[in-house]
Amino acid sequence: MKPFSNKALLFAALGLAVLYVVITVLHKTEVLNDYIMRIIILMMINAILAVSLNLINGFTGLFSVGHAGFMITGGYVAGFITTLVFKITSETPYAAALPMFILAILAAGAVSGLVGFLIGLPVLRLSDDYLAIVTIGFGEIIRVIFNFISFKVDRGGWVQDVGGPRGLSGIPLLSSFTVVFVVFLLSILIIRNFIYSRHGRACIAIRENEVAAHLMGINITKYKVMAFVIGSTFAGIAGALLAHIIQMLHPTMGGFMKSVEYLIMVYLGGMGSISGSIIAAFGLTAVSEFLRPIGELRMVLYGVLLVILMLKMPAGIMGRKEFPFLVPLKERQKHVKN
Amino acid sequence: MSKRNVLLAAAALLVACALILAVGCAPKETTTAAAPAAAAPTEVRIGIVAPITGDAATFGISTKNGAQLYFDQVNAAGGINGMMIRTFVEDDKGLTDEGATAFSKLIDQNKVSVIVGTVMSKVSLAGAPIAQSKGIPMISPTSTNPAVTLVGDYIFRACFIDPFQGLVNAKYAINTLNMKKAAVLYDAGNDYTKGLAEVFRDEFTKMGGQIVAFESYATGTPDFNAQLVKIKAVNPEVLFLPNYYNDTGLIAKQARDMGITAQFLGGDGWDSDDLYKIGGAAIEGGVFSNHFTHESTLPAAQKFVSDYVAKFGGKPDALAALAYEAAMIVVDSIKRAGSAEPRAIRDAMATTNLDTITGRITFDATRNPIKAAVLLEVKNGAAVYKTSVSP
Amino acid sequence: METFLSQLIFGIQRGTVYALIALGYTMVYGVVRLINFAYGEVFMLGAFISFFLIQMLQLPPVLNIIMALLVPMALCSILGLAMDSLAYKPLRSKPRLAALITAIGVSFFLSNLVSYIGAESVRTVSVLFIITALVVVLFTLSQKLFNFPKVTRYGGISMVKRVVVVGSLGLLGFVFWIAKPALAELRWKGSSFTAFPVDKLFTVVKYPVFGSVYITNVQIIIIIVSVALMVGLSILVNRTMLGMAMRASKNNKEAVSLMGINVNSVIAFTFAIGTALAGAAGVLSAVTYPRITAFMGIQPGLKAFIAAVLGGIGSIEGAMVGGIIMGLAEQFAIGLAPSSFGPNNIDFTPLAEGVSFAILIIVLLLRPQGIFGEPPQDKV
C-alpha cells in the first residue's frame, strides 16, 4: 500500500494547515479584529453542533428537537469546573489554564453524553412526531432545572448568586481560535469515522427501513441510543466551547428557538452530509451576523426558508454528497471499481 | 455530478467567508490604529446597546431614545470641545449571546471609546467582561444587579441597585403603611425579580415584618390564579410584586377578581403605559419605586420631559430618563478628560460630580451612583409622585 | 374547602383552553397523521385578529362580542386552508419528517412575522398586504401573458383563486391604509405585550359561589362557549356525512376515495375546522388573560398537544377530557407545591410548572395510546 495514496486527504490537510496559519497571522496583524475572530469561532462551534445533530437526525433518521439542551448542559458543566472548581480568572496564565480547560471540555462531553443516554434509552423507540415533542419537552425540562439550581458562592469579599435565573457569569475567555479549531477538526473526524464504520452503517440502515434493519439482526435500540449519545456528547463539547467565548451562560440559551436554529442548519445542509452541515452552519452564522441590522425579520426569513426548503429542496444543499476528502479511501475506491 | 456539487459547495463556502470578510473589512474608515488617535480627533465614537427588539423592546427603545436625544442636543450645540459625537446603536434582543456579540462589534469593529448599555442585567453581565478586558468604559443605564459593576473598574451604572430598591419598599411598607404581613409573588425565571424579591424578604423580616407567602411563577405564564389562591388563604396586608409591568397588570387583575384586598407594592419594572392598560382598575392605588418622576421640580428635568415629548410624542419613562442621565455623565466625562481616549474617559467618569435631571450624581467605590429613589402611586391610569427616599 | 373550590374552578378554566386547541390537534392528526406545530400560532392570530377588529370597528357591545368571536374563527379557518394547500398538501406523498419540519417553519414564520410587524403602526401591515398582493397579481398576470402553461397551478392553487384571495387581501390593506391611520389604539407591540381590551366586550361581574370564592361572568361565558363548540364539533363528527367521511379517512384513505369522496377536500375541511377552533381558543384566552404577545401560542400549543396525547390522539372525547385533566393537574401541582419562606427553603413551584411534560413522558412510556385511544398495532 503506497503511503499517502489518499491524495484528497493530503491536500485537505495541507489546505487546513495553510488556512490556520493564514488566519492566525491575519489576526496577529489586526487585519481580522477580535470581532471577526469571534464570528469565526462561533461558526466552528455551530458546525460541531450541526454535525452532531446531523448524526442523530440525518444519519439515523430520528427527530430530536432538543439539541440546545445538551449544548447548555455541557456549557454549564465546563463553566462550573473552570470558574468554581479551578477558580480560573482573567489573571491566570493561559498555559496553566489550558489543561484545566481541556479537562472541563471532556467532562462537559461526558456529562452531556450521560444525559443523552438517560433520556435516549426510554424515549428513542417512539415514532417521529412523539419524539419531536418529547425532545422539546426535555429541552424545556433541562432549562427548568438550570433555572432551578442556584447557590451562593463566596467570591472573596462578596457573596454572589450563581446559577438559576442569574445564569453563570464570569466564565474565563479560554476558547481561543487554536483550541476551537483543533476541537472542531477532531469532532468532524471522529463523527466521520463513526459514520463510515459498521456502526454508522447500522444507523443508516435504521434510517432507511427500520423493520428491514431489525430483520437483518441489527439491534435498533442499541444503535439509536449510540447515535444519540455521541450526538449529545459533541453538543456538550460545543457548549463548553461556547461558554468560554461568550463568557456567560443563561438557561434561556438552551431553548426551543436555539434548537430550531440547529435544525435549520442540518436540513439546509443536507440530512446525510457532514460537509453540508458544516457549510450550512458556517453560512448561516455569517449571514445572520451580516443581517444584524434587520433584526427580527431574520427570524421570519428562517421560517420561510424552512418551508421553501422542504417544498423545493428537501435534500438540502448537499443532499447526501460529501467532499471527497471526508470520505475514507476505501469508500471511494469501491465506487470507482463499479 | 459529484464534481459539480463539490464545486458548488466550495463556492458556497467561499461566499460565506467572503461575506464575513466583507462584514469585517467594510467600515474601516478614518481610524487605522487600534485605539482612537490622540492627535486632535474631530469626532468621538459612542456605542449604545439596548434590547430594541425582543420582550424588553419597550425598555430598549426608551433607552435608545433617551441617550440619542442628549447626544443630538450636544451635537447641535457644537459637540464636546469641538468633537462631534458619532453614535453606533446595536440591538441585543434581550439575549446574552447577542449582547456579547453586540459589545464585541462596537468595540472591535466600530472602535467606540465608550458604551452606554445595556438594559437587562444578564446581558450587561455578558458584555461587561468584554468592555473591561478591552479597556472601554461602559455605563449601564438600568442594570440593577449588583454583580455588573463588580466585573471591573471600567464598568459603571446610572441607576441604584436592587438591594437599595428592596430596602425602599420594605421601609415604605413598615414605616409609612404600618403593615406587617406581606406576601411576595415573583417571576422565578428572571434574575431581576428574584433578586428584588429576596432583598425585600430579607429587609422586611429584619425590620420586624412577617412574610406570610413567597410564591413564584414561570416566566410568560398568564395564569397566576394557583399562586394567588395560596396567597389569599394567608391574608396578607401587602402584596409585593417586583415584576415587569406586563405580569404585574395581570396579577393585579386576577388578585382583585379573586377578592384579595392587599396593597400592591413594586419596583421599577412597573414603569410603562401598558401597566395601566393591562391592569386597569385593579392596579389603582399600587405604589412602586422608580428612578424618575415627571413631576420633578428640577428645571433640568422639566426641560428633559418637554424635549422628549416634542421629539418622540410621548412622555419619557424612567428608562429614557436614566439613559439621558447616562449620556450626560458620558459627555461630562469626555469633556473633563479632554480627549476621546477610553482610559482618560474612565478616570474622569470615576470622579463625576454632576447635576443631572435627578439631582447631583457621584459614584461610590464600586461605581454605583449615590442617588435617591422616588415612590410613585398609580392614580387614574398614571403614575403620580408620592415621596422620595434617599440612601 | 374554599381553596380547593377555587383551584377547581381555575383548573377547569385553564383546561378548557387546552381542550379547545387539543381538539384541533387531534382531529388533524387523526386524518393526516401530522402534528401541526403551527396551531399555537393560529391560537395567537385568533387573539390578535380579535384585538384588531375590536379596536378598529368599535361596535356596540353585543354585536362586538359576536363579531370578536366569529370573525377571527372564520379568518383562522381560511388561514388553515391556506396552510394546508400551500405547505402541507404538496408534501403528503413525501416522508412525514418533511411535513413536520415545514410545520415548524410555518410556526416560526407566523410568530416572528407578528412580532416584526407589531413594532410599527397599522399602516405597515396595510402596506405589506398591498405589496404582497401586487407582487402575486403581477406574477400571475405575467404567467398568463407570457404563456407558461405548465405553471398555471402554483402550489396547487389556480390562477383565479390566487388573484381573488390575494387581491382581496390587498384591497383590505388599502382600506385600512385610508380608513384609520392615526388610530394609536391599533398599534400592537409584537414580541412585547399588548393589552387586550376586554372592557370593550363586557364589564366583569362577580358572583359569589361559596364563602369568598367568586366566579365571574367572563368565566361562565367562556365555559358555555367552549362547551357549545365542543358539542357542535361532536355533532358534526358523529352525525353528519362530512363527519363520517372524516372518521373514515382516519381509518383508510384509499377506501374513502374509492367510495367517490375527495379525500383532499375532507382533509382541507378538517384543517379549516381545527384552525377555527384554535382561533376561538385564542379569543377566549385573550378574554380570560387580557394580554397578548406574538409568542403567546408556543406554550399553550405544546401543552395542548400533550393534552391530546393524554386523551388519545385522534379521539375527540380524549382531547376534551385530556385538556381538562391537564388544566387541573397543573393547577393542583402549583397549588400544592411547597414554596420557600426563608432563605434556605427550596421553591418547588418551577418544577410544578413542568408537570405537563412529566405527564407526557409518563403517558408515552406507560400507555402511548392515551385514555381513549386504541393500542398501537405494528403491521409489517
Side-chain angles (χ1 to χ4, degrees):
Chain A
M1 194 68 153
K2 272 191 291 180
F4 298 139
S5 54
N6 197 344
K7 279 215 200 101
L9 189 62
L10 184 66
F11 278 131
L14 275 175
L16 284 168
V18 167
L19 193 64
Y20 174 74
V21 169
V22 165
I23 293 186
T24 315
V25 165
L26 285 179
H27 177 42
K28 282 275 181 322
T29 59
E30 305 265 347
V31 174
L32 293 179
N33 59 33
D34 281 345
Y35 164 67
I36 303 286
M37 291 307 285
R38 177 180 282 256
I39 304 295
I40 295 181
I41 292 177
L42 284 174
M43 286 195 331
M44 290 193 280
I45 294 178
N46 282 340
I48 301 179
L49 283 157
V51 174
S52 54
L53 184 59
N54 202 352
L55 179 61
I56 303 175
N57 282 16
F59 285 98
T60 318
L62 297 167
F63 195 47
S64 162
V65 194
H67 215 55
F70 297 122
M71 185 264 287
I72 214 178
T73 308
Y76 264 99
V77 168
F80 180 75
I81 292 180
T82 48
T83 52
L84 297 172
V85 174
F86 287 128
K87 300 212 194 329
I88 302 176
T89 64
S90 45
E91 323 284 302
T92 324
Y94 193 70
L98 190 58
M100 298 188 244
F101 183 42
I102 305 227
L103 195 68
I105 297 178
L106 291 174
V111 171
S112 297
L114 183 65
V115 173
F117 179 73
L118 293 171
I119 295 180
L121 205 51
V123 151
L124 285 173
R125 54 192 168 92
L126 297 168
S127 65
D128 279 345
D129 352 358
Y130 289 128
L131 189 60
I133 298 283
V134 171
T135 46
I136 296 178
F138 272 114
E140 289 294 301
I141 290 179
I142 290 180
R143 186 183 57 80
V144 166
I145 291 180
F146 279 119
N147 220 3
F148 184 64
I149 303 174
S150 80
F151 39 91
K152 306 221 183 274
V153 165
D154 186 3
R155 281 213 192 258
W158 55 285
V159 176
Q160 187 190 20
D161 246 340
V162 170
R166 291 246 139 95
L168 186 64
S169 55
I171 304 180
L173 184 62
L174 295 176
S175 291
S176 66
F177 173 65
T178 314
V179 170
V180 176
F181 191 71
V182 168
V183 173
F184 166 65
L185 288 180
L186 280 176
S187 312
I188 306 296
L189 204 62
I190 295 177
I191 294 183
R192 180 211 84 161
N193 285 341
F194 178 80
I195 288 177
Y196 286 101
S197 70
R198 65 181 176 90
H199 306 293
R201 297 230 168 287
C203 292
I204 298 177
I206 294 176
R207 172 189 72 194
E208 295 300 324
N209 190 330
E210 200 167 311
V211 179
H214 185 55
L215 287 173
M216 297 279 281
I218 296 177
N219 184 341
I220 306 277
T221 315
K222 168 175 162 192
Y223 284 105
K224 275 189 179 175
V225 173
M226 197 187 287
F228 200 65
V229 168
I230 295 182
S232 54
T233 307
F234 281 102
I237 292 177
L241 293 174
L242 191 67
H244 290 84
I245 181 93
I246 309 247
Q247 296 186 268
M248 198 206 159
L249 273 177
H250 197 264
T252 50
M253 281 164 68
F256 176 63
M257 289 280 174
K258 251 302 187 296
S259 293
V260 173
E261 283 191 42
Y262 300 134
L263 218 63
I264 296 179
M265 286 178 205
V266 169
Y267 290 110
L268 181 62
M271 268 192 354
S273 164
I274 299 181
S275 358
S277 302
I278 299 178
I279 294 178
F282 279 16
L284 224 57
T285 314
V287 166
S288 77
E289 191 53 36
F290 196 54
L291 289 180
R292 208 160 231 285
I294 64 170
E296 278 175 359
L297 195 54
R298 172 178 69 120
M299 296 307 246
V300 179
L301 291 177
Y302 274 7
V304 175
L305 182 67
L306 262 185
V307 177
I308 295 183
L309 201 64
M310 281 300 126
L311 287 176
K312 296 295 164 195
M313 202 166 55
I317 299 181
M318 296 282 284
R320 301 221 178 142
K321 312 253 187 323
E322 300 277 9
F323 286 138
F325 58 82
L326 274 176
V327 183
L329 193 57
K330 279 195 269 186
E331 274 305 303
R332 272 180 286 132
Q333 284 174 340
K334 250 192 263 176
H335 291 287
V336 169
K337 277 195 194 126
N338 293 348
Chain B
M1 211 16 209
S2 76
K3 214 174 196 170
R4 198 197 83 178
N5 266 357
V6 169
L7 285 172
L8 211 70
L13 194 58
L14 277 170
V15 167
C17 294
L19 268 175
I20 310 167
L21 286 175
V23 170
C25 299
K28 277 258 163 55
E29 296 144 9
T30 53
T31 52
T32 47
T42 48
E43 69 173 14
V44 58
R45 295 178 171 208
I46 303 182
I48 302 178
V49 186
I52 303 180
T53 57
D55 51 354
T58 46
F59 296 156
I61 297 177
S62 293
T63 306
K64 181 182 79 139
N65 288 348
Q68 197 74 61
L69 177 64
Y70 188 68
F71 291 140
D72 290 342
Q73 288 177 340
V74 168
N75 270 349
I80 315 174
N81 299 339
M83 290 190 287
M84 296 304 268
I85 300 176
R86 184 149 167 225
T87 54
F88 293 87
V89 181
E90 284 294 331
D91 175 13
D92 65 38
K93 306 187 179 106
L95 300 172
T96 46
D97 36 354
E98 294 282 339
T101 321
F103 273 83
S104 174
K105 182 167 186 207
L106 286 174
I107 297 177
D108 295 318
Q109 189 84 333
N110 303 119
K111 306 261 188 272
V112 299
S113 306
V114 58
I115 295 183
V116 174
T118 170
V119 171
M120 297 176 80
S121 292
K122 65 179 192 238
V123 185
S124 290
L125 279 172
I130 302 177
Q132 176 70 24
S133 65
K134 295 290 172 100
I136 302 286
M138 161 187 155
I139 177 164
S140 164
T142 42
S143 289
T144 49
N145 185 337
V148 175
T149 45
L150 293 169
V151 170
D153 59 348
Y154 273 81
I155 317 297
F156 297 75
R157 76 174 101 223
C159 55
F160 48 65
I161 53 179
D162 283 332
F164 178 59
Q165 228 189 143
L167 180 62
V168 165
N169 273 293
K171 263 195 189 161
Y172 181 73
I174 298 238
N175 297 340
T176 318
L177 293 178
N178 253 317
M179 297 185 176
K180 295 271 188 336
K181 277 171 76 178
V184 181
L185 179 58
Y186 67 98
D187 181 344
N190 188 325
D191 55 333
Y192 159 74
T193 59
K194 186 163 183 213
L196 201 48
E198 285 171 345
V199 171
F200 178 81
R201 174 192 63 196
D202 297 338
E203 297 293 341
F204 194 73
T205 330
K206 250 195 257 173
M207 288 197 256
Q210 188 203 4
I211 302 280
V212 290
F214 195 70
E215 298 289 333
S216 72
Y217 59 88
T219 315
T221 180
D223 189 324
F224 309 96
N225 293 307
Q227 291 90 336
L228 285 171
V229 167
K230 283 201 266 184
I231 289 177
K232 182 177 170 190
V234 290
N235 235 329
E237 296 169 297
V238 167
L239 180 53
F240 186 56
L241 300 172
N243 310 308
Y244 287 154
Y245 63 91
N246 45 322
D247 290 339
T248 308
L250 275 186
I251 296 175
K253 232 188 156 86
Q254 289 172 8
R256 291 288 185 248
D257 278 347
M258 203 186 293
I260 295 179
T261 52
Q263 164 76 35
F264 296 134
L265 280 185
D268 59 339
W270 284 29
D271 191 18
S272 164
D273 274 344
D274 281 318
L275 175 69
Y276 325 114
K277 283 200 208 142
I278 299 179
I283 195 70
E284 286 285 318
V287 172
F288 64 104
S289 53
N290 205 357
H291 311 268
F292 177 74
T293 165
H294 303 140
E295 299 162 58
S296 168
T297 48
L298 288 172
Q302 292 294 322
K303 179 168 185 304
F304 163 64
V305 174
S306 51
D307 288 343
Y308 193 92
V309 172
K311 181 147 187 203
F312 298 109
K315 285 232 180 93
D317 56 14
L319 287 103
L322 284 171
Y324 193 81
E325 260 190 21
M328 289 178 88
I329 296 175
V330 164
V331 169
D332 173 69
S333 308
I334 298 176
K335 206 182 290 186
R336 286 185 293 115
S339 82
E341 215 265 296
R343 171 96 228 170
I345 299 179
R346 184 225 90 86
D347 291 336
M349 204 180 279
T351 54
T352 298
N353 195 337
L354 180 68
D355 274 324
T356 64
I357 54 179
T358 54
R360 174 148 298 219
I361 297 252
T362 57
F363 287 110
D364 66 13
T366 44
R367 298 163 301 283
N368 296 323
I370 304 174
K371 40 178 353 194
V374 293
L375 282 169
L376 304 175
E377 182 177 8
V378 180
K379 257 203 186 113
N380 300 324
V384 165
Y385 175 75
K386 214 160 163 68
T387 177
S388 293
V389 182
S390 300
Chain C
M1 181 55 194
E2 277 189 15
T3 326
F4 176 76
L5 210 59
S6 278
Q7 300 285 33
L8 192 68
I9 297 179
F10 288 123
I12 296 183
Q13 177 185 292
R14 253 188 217 240
T16 2
V17 174
Y18 291 155
L20 277 176
I21 311 178
L23 278 173
Y25 262 120
T26 224
M27 275 191 354
V28 169
Y29 190 84
V31 178
V32 203
R33 307 244 149 248
L34 165 76
I35 299 179
N36 190 359
F37 278 109
Y39 256 16
E41 271 52 57
V42 178
F43 166 86
M44 178 267 295
L45 280 169
F48 269 88
I49 295 175
S50 188
F51 165 79
F52 199 68
L53 289 171
I54 295 177
Q55 300 288 55
M56 177 92 194
L57 295 178
Q58 313 273 358
L59 296 175
V62 178
L63 208 59
N64 222 7
I65 300 176
I66 299 178
M67 182 271 304
L69 185 61
L70 291 180
V71 176
M73 278 175 74
L75 286 176
C76 283
S77 55
I78 296 181
L79 179 66
L81 285 171
M83 278 198 313
D84 177 45
S85 54
L86 282 173
Y88 302 140
K89 190 153 92 170
L91 295 173
R92 270 223 256 278
S93 47
K94 302 230 181 104
R96 281 224 314 274
L97 208 61
L100 271 175
I101 299 168
T102 314
I104 294 184
V106 173
S107 159
F108 236 52
F109 170 67
L110 286 174
S111 49
N112 284 296
L113 188 68
V114 173
S115 172
Y116 176 68
I117 297 178
E120 314 299 313
S121 71
V122 71
R123 271 205 150 149
T124 314
V125 187
S126 332
V127 170
L128 220 68
F129 277 179
I130 297 176
I131 294 180
T132 320
L134 278 172
V135 166
V136 173
V137 170
L138 282 174
F139 181 60
T140 313
L141 282 179
S142 65
Q143 279 184 333
K144 192 91 193 190
L145 284 175
F146 298 117
N147 240 331
F148 302 149
K150 288 182 280 187
V151 207
T152 47
R153 299 187 80 85
Y154 191 86
I157 306 179
S158 73
M159 280 193 167
V160 175
K161 258 195 235 169
R162 235 185 300 161
V163 173
V164 166
V165 171
V166 181
S168 38
L169 272 177
L171 221 62
L172 209 68
F174 192 61
V175 166
F176 281 172
W177 193 43
I178 313 180
K180 293 198 177 183
L183 197 58
E185 286 172 14
L186 275 173
R187 221 167 282 214
W188 75 83
K189 290 199 187 139
S191 54
S192 209
F193 302 89
T194 320
F196 188 82
V198 186
D199 34 342
K200 294 221 175 103
L201 289 180
F202 14 55
T203 39
V204 178
V205 178
K206 301 200 282 210
Y207 304 108
V209 167
F210 181 90
S212 63
V213 178
Y214 297 110
I215 188 167
T216 60
N217 58 342
V218 177
Q219 285 173 319
I220 297 179
I221 292 181
I222 289 177
I223 294 183
I224 293 179
V225 172
S226 310
V227 169
L229 284 172
M230 290 191 241
V231 166
L233 185 69
S234 223
I235 296 179
L236 177 73
V237 169
N238 291 322
R239 306 266 174 103
T240 61
M241 285 288 279
L242 182 58
M244 191 152 65
M246 279 163 59
R247 278 180 289 137
S249 310
K250 258 193 263 182
N251 288 329
N252 193 333
K253 283 206 204 42
E254 277 144 17
V256 170
S257 58
L258 282 175
M259 300 290 275
I261 300 177
N262 185 345
V263 180
N264 281 335
S265 299
V266 175
I267 295 178
F269 199 78
T270 315
F271 258 100
I273 299 183
T275 40
L277 283 172
V283 177
L284 293 176
S285 176
V287 169
T288 320
Y289 314 113
R291 172 188 86 184
I292 55 179
T293 169
F295 297 102
M296 65 188 269
I298 302 185
Q299 283 285 340
L302 225 50
K303 294 193 180 163
F305 177 76
I306 300 177
V309 169
L310 172 65
I313 198 146
S315 144
I316 304 229
E317 310 80 39
M320 296 191 237
V321 168
I324 304 282
I325 294 182
M326 277 278 293
L328 287 170
E330 270 191 359
Q331 193 77 13
F332 281 104
I334 300 177
L336 295 173
S339 48
S340 62
F341 279 62
N344 293 319
N345 290 17
I346 307 177
D347 180 19
F348 284 98
T349 319
L351 293 182
E353 303 258 4
V355 76
S356 45
F357 291 109
I359 292 181
L360 175 70
I361 294 166
I362 295 175
V363 167
L364 285 179
L365 291 181
L366 295 181
R367 193 188 155 93
Q369 68 269 27
I371 300 179
F372 289 97
E374 295 141 11
Q377 296 143 342
D378 230 346
K379 295 190 191 136
V380 180

